[in-house]
């Protein structure tokens, strides 16, 4: 149990376009999901907390207008990278856990390359 | 003090040895702790959770929690080359949210 999926696993886009990444909890409901970014050989960096039915909470230094988060149901959160630029190229990973529990399970990640 | 601190390593052990990974935490971290394993190019995978003082064993893995010393460790017995990965220690953030606070990870290499 406790499976989290992400789609797509890999995406290549042109600079200036927007990219949407989906994160789904497959066998549990999650009121809260988390979005991370990881650059090569660096640590995980929490970008934002996605809250079902309300606004996301962004970490300091993360532009909320650039990284749009929508958590429309208890099993789906989406991250949209708007007007992507090459510096946004990174490994984006979501995590989720059953509501009320601290245990978090990670999705397989989405590798974004902006040309 | 950072909320969760780990020795970044790298830690290198021979195959069959015990690998010991350590983590300390501050008062800003709650009493739930997790160890994740991250292979290069992959996302983290949960391997152990521990909530109470003492040891918790799962196969070749043993997690140890010492709340008085604010110390969490992970022991890997009979280390295998397939255990080579970065190990992340995480604690729950104070405040009742489900957010986790991660250490920067320790890179482990098990040499055949």
């Amino acid at each position: 149990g406790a499976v989290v999926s992400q789609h797509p696993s890999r995406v290549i886009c042109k600079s200036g376009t927007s990219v949407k990444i989906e994160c789904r909890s497959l066998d549990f409901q999650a009121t809260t999901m988390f979005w991370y970014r990881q650059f090569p050989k660096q640590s995980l960096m929490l970008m934002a907390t996605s809250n079902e039915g309300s606004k996301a909470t962004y970490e300091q230094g993360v532009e909320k207008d650039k990284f749009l988060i929508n958590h429309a149901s208890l099993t789906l959160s989406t991250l949209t990278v708007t007007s992507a630029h090459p510096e946004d190229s990174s490994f984006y990973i979501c995590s989720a856990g059953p509501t009320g529990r601290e245990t978090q399970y990670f999705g397989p990640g989405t590798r974004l390359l902006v040309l | 003090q950072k909320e969760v601190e780990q020795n970044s390593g790298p830690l290198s052990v021979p195959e069959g040895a015990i690998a010991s990974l350590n983590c300390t935490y501050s008062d800003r971290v709650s009493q739930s702790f997790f160890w994740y394993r991250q292979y290069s190019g992959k996302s983290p995978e949960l391997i152990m959770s521990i909530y109470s003082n003492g040891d918790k064993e799962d196969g070749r893995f043993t997690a140890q929690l010492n709340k008085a010393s604010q110390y969490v460790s992970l022991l890997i017995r009979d280390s295998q080359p397939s255990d080579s990965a970065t190990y992340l220690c995480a604690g729950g953030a104070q405040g009742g949210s489900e957010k986790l606070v991660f250490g920067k990870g320790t890179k482990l290499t098990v040499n055949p």
Side-chain angles (χ1 to χ4, degrees):
Chain A
V3 178
V4 177
S5 70
Q6 271 184 254
H7 177 80
S9 58
R10 188 179 295 268
V11 57
I12 301 173
C13 69
K14 292 182 179 180
S15 188
T17 60
S18 294
V19 174
K20 181 187 282 189
I21 303 170
E22 292 186 350
C23 176
R24 291 182 187 272
S25 56
L26 298 186
D27 51 1
F28 62 92
Q29 294 185 331
T31 306
T32 306
M33 295 183 176
F34 299 92
W35 286 97
Y36 296 83
R37 181 167 57 180
Q38 188 173 39
F39 293 106
K41 299 192 187 302
Q42 293 191 22
S43 307
L44 279 178
M45 189 194 84
L46 178 65
M47 299 175 67
T49 302
S50 173
N51 303 299
E52 188 267 337
S54 64
K55 290 183 179 179
T57 306
Y58 291 82
E59 296 298 305
Q60 192 171 10
V62 177
E63 300 175 58
K64 63 180 181 183
D65 295 330
K66 181 167 182 64
F67 298 101
L68 300 180
I69 291 172
N70 184 274
H71 193 149
S73 79
L74 288 171
T75 59
L76 173 64
S77 174
T78 60
L79 169 69
T80 301
V81 183
T82 62
S83 186
H85 288 95
E87 57 266 30
D88 298 323
S89 299
S90 189
F91 191 36
Y92 291 85
I93 316 171
C94 71
S95 75
T99 298
R101 294 180 54 188
E102 287 176 312
T103 308
Q104 292 289 312
Y105 302 92
F106 284 88
T110 297
R111 206 163 292 282
L112 171 64
L113 177 61
V114 184
L115 301 176
Chain B
Q1 181 191 3
K2 292 181 182 175
E3 292 172 306
V4 176
E5 290 200 66
Q6 288 183 259
N7 186 330
S8 61
L11 174 65
S12 183
V13 300
E15 185 174 355
I18 296 175
S20 177
L21 302 156
N22 306 311
C23 174
T24 58
Y25 62 92
S26 74
D27 292 337
R28 287 173 290 172
V29 177
S30 76
Q31 303 294 294
S32 304
F33 296 93
F34 307 87
W35 283 99
Y36 290 84
R37 175 177 61 200
Q38 186 175 23
Y39 291 114
S40 181
K42 303 293 186 183
S43 67
E45 172 193 10
L46 178 67
I47 52 173
M48 291 283 286
S49 60
I50 187 165
Y51 306 99
S52 305
N53 258 338
D55 296 358
K56 179 181 178 182
E57 189 173 315
D58 184 0
R60 295 186 295 113
F61 298 98
T62 299
Q64 299 175 318
L65 174 58
N66 183 324
K67 293 183 181 181
S69 301
Q70 295 183 299
Y71 179 90
V72 188
S73 66
L74 180 70
L75 301 178
I76 306 174
R77 288 182 301 282
D78 187 24
S79 295
Q80 301 296 309
S82 57
D83 295 325
S84 298
T86 296
Y87 289 80
L88 303 170
C89 171
Q94 288 284 10
S97 76
E98 295 166 10
K99 187 171 164 179
L100 293 180
V101 179
F102 282 87
K104 292 191 179 300
T106 299
K107 185 173 182 179
L108 171 67
T109 301
V110 180
N111 301 303

